[in-house]
Amino acid sequence: MTSTTPPEIARKVEAYIPRFQLTRLLNQDQAGRRISLLGTIDSQPALLVAERAAFATDHAHLSTFPTSLTKIKNLGANDIYAWFLANTNTNGSGSDSSSEVPPDFKLNLIYPCTEKHIKKYSAQPTRSVTETPEIYANYVRPWIQRQREKGALNWIFNILEGRSEQEDIIYRETGEQGFLLAPDLNWDRKTLSSLHLLALVERRDIWSVRDLNKGKTEWVKHMREQLLAATVKLYPEIERDQLKLYVHYQPTYHHFHIHIIHMALESGATQAVGKALGLENIISQLETMAGDPDAGFQDVSLTYGIGEQSELWEKVFGVLKRGDEVDVEKF
């Protein structure tokens, strides 16, 4: 970025930064990517806000990015997914410094990845769709069934069946109504203001919020209570009213799970309206829903956003918008 500041003024203000003397941290936000510092420069009060710069997006820089990383430390691995912390090797030497430097990056690796992963992480226009009970029953549920048959849930079953990540489990109840709590792979496992945990249910007949009905209300309330209690017990610096519990619809993986995050974690696409449904609101809807114990979210219309490259848009909602017939056999 080219500066329009006169050279003499630029030199003057650039010299301020090395003279900044820290007093205290005022704030840390955007999941730790921006900090606000109070300090002094030449005995005068100063406020310094530091934010990690945007990535260079030209091919030359991106092609050398993986080899520029040092001190790569694996945090976990499960099926095709692995996640790491790493430092930037700014001098290109690859040598480790004798001083302990905090990691610059939290990395997620999907290997080998699928076409579905590629579409999910690609920039694409988003559409708002309304999924009626009829659309869900006739098209979306058969599509979900096909996704489950493709083995996309292997990483979840690895955890539930004790083949991976057992040392990370924070809390667990077993049985038909059992569930477990563990760190989400997107959390660095140390920055409490960006805390992100994931609760997985043991039973496999609940694919999403669509499978919750009035008869399951007390179970959902029990999970909420135990998840909150387990989280604040392990992280006593956090209080219950600093936590947010929600589920996604549509979820990326169709095995019912609950996200537990710190309220300070800034909202992104995964917490957007129409994507994240607050657990408290879900419980309230179940409690006030008319009908017998079988009445539930399969009986309501849900509006949410999906990308134009997603299978659900390409094979269901885009087809319906054109007025064509959805071919369930092609799922």
Side-chain angles (χ1 to χ4, degrees):
M1 180 181 295
T2 303
S3 173
T4 58
T5 307
E8 65 277 10
I9 296 178
R11 287 191 296 269
K12 178 182 178 181
V13 296
E14 287 168 359
Y16 289 156
I17 303 300
R19 304 207 302 272
F20 183 90
Q21 298 294 313
L22 177 67
T23 302
R24 62 186 172 92
L25 172 69
L26 294 178
N27 194 13
Q28 180 184 42
D29 54 11
Q30 289 199 0
R33 293 189 293 271
R34 182 196 296 147
I35 55 174
S36 301
L37 306 176
L38 176 65
T40 60
I41 298 175
D42 301 336
S43 300
Q44 296 295 312
L47 181 64
L48 178 63
V49 178
E51 184 173 349
R52 296 189 187 275
F55 285 97
T57 56
D58 60 282
H59 189 272
H61 281 94
L62 293 179
S63 62
T64 60
F65 172 70
T67 57
S68 72
L69 300 174
T70 63
K71 297 183 179 179
I72 299 173
K73 179 181 178 182
N74 177 248
L75 294 175
N78 185 344
D79 195 48
I80 62 174
Y81 304 95
W83 44 104
F84 314 82
L85 294 177
N87 290 83
T88 307
N89 175 25
T90 54
N91 60 17
S93 65
S95 60
D96 290 342
S97 171
S98 58
S99 60
E100 187 63 29
V101 180
D104 296 306
F105 293 106
K106 164 71 168 53
L107 308 173
N108 291 351
L109 175 67
I110 305 174
Y111 173 75
C113 69
T114 66
E115 185 63 26
K116 182 179 179 180
H117 292 120
I118 295 171
K119 289 181 177 180
K120 175 186 175 182
Y121 288 97
S122 296
Q124 58 186 292
T126 302
R127 300 281 185 159
S128 177
V129 299
T130 296
E131 182 184 292
T132 65
E134 294 73 26
I135 291 175
Y136 173 72
N138 295 332
Y139 308 123
V140 177
R141 189 168 179 84
W143 176 80
I144 294 174
Q145 174 71 49
R146 185 68 188 101
Q147 306 314 302
R148 289 171 61 89
E149 292 171 352
K150 293 177 181 178
L153 301 179
N154 287 344
W155 70 276
I156 292 178
F157 298 151
N158 285 342
I159 300 174
L160 295 176
E161 296 171 5
R163 291 191 292 269
S164 67
E165 300 184 54
Q166 299 307 290
E167 67 281 358
D168 293 329
I169 294 177
I170 297 169
Y171 180 83
R172 185 166 198 164
E173 292 187 12
T174 58
E176 183 183 2
Q177 295 191 336
F179 58 93
L180 61 82
L181 178 65
D184 185 89
L185 61 84
N186 290 308
W187 185 40
D188 66 9
R189 309 193 186 199
K190 66 174 185 178
T191 308
L192 292 184
S193 61
S194 59
L195 177 136
H196 191 166
L197 308 178
L198 192 67
L200 304 172
V201 302
E202 290 201 347
R203 56 191 297 175
R204 304 188 183 188
D205 60 332
I206 304 179
W207 301 353
S208 73
V209 69
R210 283 289 197 186
D211 295 304
L212 296 182
N213 55 35
K214 290 177 67 67
K216 297 182 178 70
T217 305
E218 292 305 314
W219 173 54
V220 178
K221 291 170 68 174
H222 172 74
M223 281 197 294
R224 176 195 60 187
E225 179 60 31
Q226 296 305 108
L227 293 174
L228 288 170
T231 302
V232 299
K233 180 179 180 180
L234 185 62
Y235 305 106
E237 304 93 329
I238 301 176
E239 298 182 33
R240 292 168 64 106
D241 58 1
Q242 292 179 298
L243 296 170
K244 180 193 300 184
L245 281 67
Y246 64 89
V247 304
H248 284 145
Y249 196 80
Q250 288 280 338
T252 303
Y253 300 98
H254 292 87
H255 178 99
F256 188 67
H257 54 279
I258 302 169
H259 295 265
I260 302 93
I261 67 168
H262 196 290
M263 291 291 292
L265 184 60
E266 293 188 12
S267 297
T270 63
Q271 297 178 54
V273 173
K275 173 69 173 179
L277 306 176
L279 194 64
E280 292 286 353
N281 292 336
I282 291 173
I283 292 172
S284 177
Q285 282 186 264
L286 289 173
E287 289 179 326
T288 57
M289 194 174 287
D292 59 28
D294 290 331
F297 279 89
Q298 77 274 7
D299 305 317
V300 302
S301 294
L302 295 175
T303 299
Y304 52 90
I306 56 174
E308 288 185 358
Q309 293 187 35
S310 69
E311 279 194 29
L312 207 50
W313 173 261
E314 293 177 344
K315 295 184 177 181
V316 178
F317 289 101
V319 178
L320 292 174
K321 181 179 181 179
R322 295 193 302 270
D324 297 332
E325 184 68 28
V326 174
D327 189 349
V328 179
E329 296 300 319
K330 289 185 178 181
F331 289 170

